[in-house]
Amino acid sequence: MTSTKTPVTLEESNIESFLRMDRMPHIWCAGCGIGTAVGCFARAVERAGLDPDKVSLISGIGCAGRAAGYVKLDSFHTTHGRALPFATGLKLGNPELNVVVFSGDGDLLAIGGNHLIHSARRNIDLTVICINNFNYGMTGGQMGPTTPIDARTTTTPYGNVEYPFNAPYLLAASGATYVSRWTVMHPRELERSIAEALVKPGFSFVEVLSPCPALYGRLNKESKGLDTMHTYLKRSVIRNGADPKDAEIGLNGPILVGKYVDIERPTLWDCCKQVFDRVKEKKSK
Amino acid sequence: MSEDGILHGTFFMNGDVACAEGAISAGCRFFAGYPITPATEVAERMSERLPHVGGVYIQMEDEIASMNAVLGASWAGVKAMTATSGPGFSLMMENLGLGVILETPCVLVNIQRAGPSTGLPTLPAQGDMMQARWGSHGSYEIIALVPSSPQEIFDLIIEAFNLSERYRVPVLVMSDEAVGHMSEKVVIPEISPENLMSRRRPDVPPEEYLPYKADGDLVPPMAIAGEGYRFHVTGLTHDEKGYPVMTAEAQDKLVRRLVDKIKLNRNDIIKCEESDVEDAEIIVCAYGITSRIARLAVQQARNEGIRAGLLRLITVWPFAEERVKELAKQVKAFIVPEINYGQIVLEVERCAAGKASTVLVPHMGGSVHTPHTILNAIKESLQ
């Protein structure tokens, strides 16, 4: 295959200045998609024109949770599922900060599920990047809240019997003002979407489907990262503005990607400021 | 109320309200909490008062989230607090540990009620004293203060913030339902800024900053988010850079420092109050609401010619080990009344080390001791 495009090198994208190079090599497996998502995030910060000194990244626990340790930002590697409430305190403590939560599907949707829906409900101005690799990678490939029904994992050796969360549908219902889903096979779209989410006031949620060849892939006939990338290419259907209800992901069939929600709603801080004004008014009377 | 929204003067208020006012006076400008009896009034008061002083109140979805939000706010450079009771305290244990390992200044108030589990939500106990010491997993050292009146809860909240900023550690204020809900006179003084401590900040440029490099006092300077330090912190065992290091050596170095920064400074931290101990042959060792009843029992004993004294623990953790060891040489017995089935008595017994006998006066909770019960124990110990 020939291409007329020159590939963008690491140097050109200036990504090294964004990473803790003294921590390389990272712990992610060959073929894992998390690194690609971190790259998209780095370029998105640049694209959105944010001052990296004012960007904080918070992670929970798990493979995606390790992202906090590799970015050269104020970065917090917190406890399992708790990145969002930690981020909530940080953002309310200093509303000038751009606070980003970068974590995995198990961290955000299972153990941190309550925090996720309530953060969306109060529409706090945070950006969540949710890596979805359909299983718990760090602990060895167990079933998680996004594992498709019938999929094999190390704790569903006969196939998964639980229905998974449809993350975009859950987040739309919970009140997020920006919801999208892309795969690491769509790096340009993903970068653009993260950049949009970063500047969008309110609660933004970007789901990133990402291969886990060593565990989920191996048990589900995609033992190479490349196999999963081919699957994404084959199964992805770009449909911006689709009804998130239709965004369910099965073991087979189409995977809807695109932007589901992009609405305006006063943020938590907007509402807090109204209270401050009310108190001030009452005082001056 | 003064121009800046801070109260001064003499008031009649309950312990929970005094707790909130103590926080406001201490410079607390962030409160995250979840309603729970008998600590709810702390949150209510904070929600009313914080907007007057430019602070933020948020009601989180649970106590796990509350504790985390407090840690996050502290890393934004804001003095932050939460208040809860037994079941909520249990939920906060997970991220109390995160606060310890990240070395995050903050204050956690527990208005204790009787447990286990839901127990007696509206009635007092002192059943979480060992949980305060050991409740989160792993080896660590913590500071816990125990107030015995609304005035003292006000005073100790200020002390708690100062200690947390000084030692970069979450500080626990272990009150109880009786103190939280009793109304008494509370004098709120004007507190001059030099009496309010703030964490030491880095004085080196970002490229030279090591988030967990401590000097002689073992407490590293703390950068806050958004100032260009671009630091990394993690709940994993880490080195001076804040980077994870998965070795026994790194674990040894970190845990030793986390413990030693409290342990080696214990003389600066520990506060006790003593009355009638000089010639005492019996000492009642009590804390919180129970110390007020113990005082009556000691007075009564003195009236009856018994040489009794009172050792009131204001700081329960770290434990006043050296003082109890000293007193053990002098007295026949320590009487330890507490509203549980024996917690702090274990510490007294350990420090007495057989030199004096130790008598527990337990009360399971739901009410407080009667002076009579403690007096009886004093008399029995002399027989």
Side-chain angles (χ1 to χ4, degrees):
Chain A
M1 202 167 79
T2 56
S3 168
T4 50
K5 281 183 190 163
T6 319
V8 178
T9 65
L10 273 180
E11 288 73 28
E12 279 168 345
S13 73
N14 195 30
I15 204 164
E16 284 192 21
S17 70
F18 196 88
L19 297 176
R20 297 185 187 275
M21 296 306 289
D22 56 345
R23 288 214 61 217
M24 298 297 144
H26 56 69
I27 64 157
W28 295 314
C29 306
C32 169
I34 300 172
T36 309
V38 172
C40 291
F41 166 64
R43 287 185 291 273
V45 169
E46 208 173 3
R47 179 190 278 266
L50 303 181
D51 173 3
D53 281 355
K54 302 287 176 200
V55 180
S56 285
L57 188 126
I58 327 294
S59 288
I61 298 297
C63 294
R66 290 304 181 102
Y70 298 127
V71 293
K72 211 169 175 180
L73 299 169
D74 292 329
S75 55
F76 301 84
H77 183 219
T78 65
T79 41
H80 198 16
R82 318 301 175 211
L84 268 166
F86 191 100
T88 297
L90 191 71
K91 179 71 182 178
L92 291 174
N94 182 358
E96 302 299 312
L97 298 174
N98 294 101
V99 183
V100 181
V101 168
F102 193 114
S103 226
D105 53 303
D107 187 80
L108 288 162
L109 288 157
I111 190 165
N114 199 29
H115 309 311
L116 183 66
I117 57 174
H118 285 278
S119 303
R121 170 182 65 77
R122 44 175 92 91
N123 199 28
I124 181 163
D125 188 15
L126 300 174
T127 300
V128 178
I129 299 166
C130 175
I131 304 294
N132 179 1
N133 60 10
F134 304 105
N135 77 150
Y136 286 94
M138 186 65 87
T139 46
Q142 294 78 28
M143 182 274 272
T146 55
T147 306
I149 204 145
D150 291 338
R152 296 287 197 274
T153 70
T154 56
T155 49
T156 55
Y158 312 108
N160 180 27
V161 295
E162 291 186 21
Y163 292 102
F165 263 137
N166 169 350
Y169 190 33
L170 176 69
L171 271 293
S174 302
T177 49
Y178 185 97
V179 181
S180 71
R181 173 197 283 155
W182 293 99
T183 80
V184 292
M185 192 63 209
H186 301 86
R188 305 276 175 203
E189 291 89 341
L190 176 58
E191 178 194 321
R192 264 199 298 273
S193 182
I194 296 175
E196 271 183 16
L198 286 171
V199 296
K200 176 84 187 178
F203 194 81
S204 306
F205 183 88
V206 179
E207 183 185 12
V208 185
L209 305 190
S210 169
C212 179
L215 298 160
Y216 181 79
R218 182 172 51 84
L219 293 170
N220 291 283
K221 298 175 191 156
E222 290 170 8
S223 58
K224 292 194 185 94
L226 202 56
D227 298 339
T228 308
M229 295 296 254
H230 279 303
T231 306
Y232 289 158
L233 201 59
K234 213 166 58 196
R235 290 175 59 194
S236 292
V237 179
I238 300 179
R239 202 184 295 158
N240 286 305
D243 186 339
K245 209 191 288 181
D246 302 329
E248 277 180 10
I249 301 174
L251 204 46
N252 300 296
I255 297 172
L256 284 196
V257 295
K259 182 163 72 179
Y260 299 94
V261 177
D262 191 353
I263 57 168
E264 308 298 321
R265 197 155 75 89
T267 68
L268 175 65
W269 190 242
D270 292 335
C271 300
C272 283
K273 280 192 293 192
Q274 281 180 11
V275 165
F276 297 151
D277 291 343
R278 250 176 259 158
V279 169
K280 239 184 245 163
E281 249 174 63
K282 219 173 145 188
K283 254 194 202 170
S284 59
K285 266 178 198 166
Chain B
M1 199 186 300
S2 63
E3 271 298 288
D4 56 8
I6 298 169
L7 285 188
H8 308 297
T10 304
F11 302 88
F12 187 66
M13 55 174 59
N14 74 26
D16 281 0
V17 170
C19 171
E21 290 302 335
I24 301 279
S25 289
C28 171
R29 295 295 176 265
F30 182 85
F31 183 96
Y34 185 84
I36 185 163
T37 307
T40 306
E41 294 90 334
V42 184
E44 287 176 345
R45 183 74 170 193
M46 289 304 267
S47 73
E48 182 196 336
R49 295 281 287 121
L50 276 170
H52 288 269
V53 293
V56 175
Y57 165 89
I58 185 163
Q59 189 165 309
M60 297 301 286
E61 52 276 14
D62 58 30
E63 289 89 348
I64 301 171
S66 303
M67 188 66 221
N68 274 281
V70 161
L71 298 180
S74 184
W75 280 97
V78 181
K79 288 187 182 176
M81 181 175 93
T82 184
T84 188
S85 190
F89 196 58
S90 292
L91 288 182
M92 287 181 183
M93 286 300 112
E94 175 193 56
N95 295 285
L96 176 71
L98 183 65
V100 167
I101 199 168
L102 298 186
E103 299 183 62
T104 310
C106 61
V107 173
L108 195 177
V109 179
N110 180 355
I111 310 289
Q112 294 173 84
R113 65 192 225 189
S117 192
T118 311
L120 300 171
T122 61
L123 298 169
Q126 298 176 313
D128 310 343
M129 301 310 295
M130 279 294 174
Q131 188 184 16
R133 176 64 189 87
W134 304 105
S136 199
H137 54 276
S139 279
Y140 64 97
E141 193 80 24
I142 201 89
I143 299 176
L145 313 177
V146 188
S148 61
S149 68
Q151 178 68 56
E152 196 175 35
I153 200 167
F154 176 92
D155 298 337
L156 288 188
I157 291 288
I158 292 172
E159 176 78 4
F161 272 103
N162 283 348
L163 289 168
S164 78
E165 294 283 323
R166 167 75 183 81
Y167 294 108
R168 282 190 64 180
V169 67
V171 173
L172 310 177
V173 177
M174 301 294 292
S175 191
D176 61 77
E177 187 277 335
V179 172
H181 281 164
M182 73 165 62
S183 289
E184 284 184 338
K185 183 169 102 170
V186 175
V187 180
I188 302 185
E190 278 198 48
I191 293 159
S192 65
E194 59 263 31
N195 290 329
L196 297 178
M197 289 205 77
S198 289
R199 63 198 75 169
R200 195 151 61 89
R201 304 285 283 274
D203 51 11
V204 294
E207 58 276 14
E208 288 171 31
Y209 177 58
L210 295 170
Y212 291 105
K213 186 175 176 349
D215 313 328
D217 71 350
L218 305 181
V219 184
M222 180 174 170
I224 60 171
E227 290 191 320
Y229 280 91
R230 304 225 207 157
F231 56 83
H232 175 60
V233 297
T234 174
L236 289 165
T237 295
H238 45 262
D239 61 13
E240 291 181 340
K241 274 184 172 174
Y243 290 0
V245 181
M246 301 296 102
T247 65
E249 289 75 23
Q251 170 74 2
D252 185 272
K253 198 175 171 200
L254 176 64
V255 173
R256 268 181 205 280
R257 188 175 60 73
L258 291 177
V259 169
D260 286 348
K261 72 175 178 179
I262 307 297
K263 235 179 179 171
L264 300 178
N265 290 302
R266 60 185 179 275
N267 291 335
D268 176 51
I269 297 167
I270 295 171
K271 277 189 179 167
C272 300
E273 191 187 79
E274 298 179 6
S275 36
D276 297 324
V277 299
E278 297 76 20
D279 64 339
E281 53 176 348
I282 301 290
I283 284 184
V284 182
C285 177
Y287 56 91
I289 185 66
T290 311
S291 66
R292 295 174 66 153
I293 300 143
R295 190 183 300 282
L296 291 176
V298 166
Q299 274 162 12
Q300 186 59 38
R302 282 272 164 185
N303 292 345
E304 295 181 24
I306 300 168
R307 284 188 286 128
L310 175 67
L311 173 67
R312 180 166 83 88
L313 306 173
I314 298 170
T315 314
V316 163
W317 305 116
F319 188 69
E321 194 167 307
E322 281 154 47
R323 188 61 186 139
V324 174
K325 278 181 183 165
E326 253 170 46
L327 291 169
K329 294 177 200 157
Q330 167 194 326
V331 301
K332 280 190 187 152
F334 288 104
I335 311 292
V336 187
E338 44 185 346
I339 314 177
N340 58 52
Y341 210 168
Q343 296 192 10
I344 296 304
V345 69
L346 300 172
E347 281 296 283
V348 177
E349 197 172 353
R350 176 178 70 81
C351 297
K355 292 193 176 68
S357 60
T358 311
V359 180
L360 168 70
V361 188
H363 183 75
M364 299 313 140
S367 65
V368 299
H369 291 77
T370 60
H372 186 72
T373 323
I374 301 171
L375 181 63
N376 275 354
I378 293 173
K379 286 179 179 168
E380 274 166 29
S381 72
L382 281 169
Q383 282 162 9

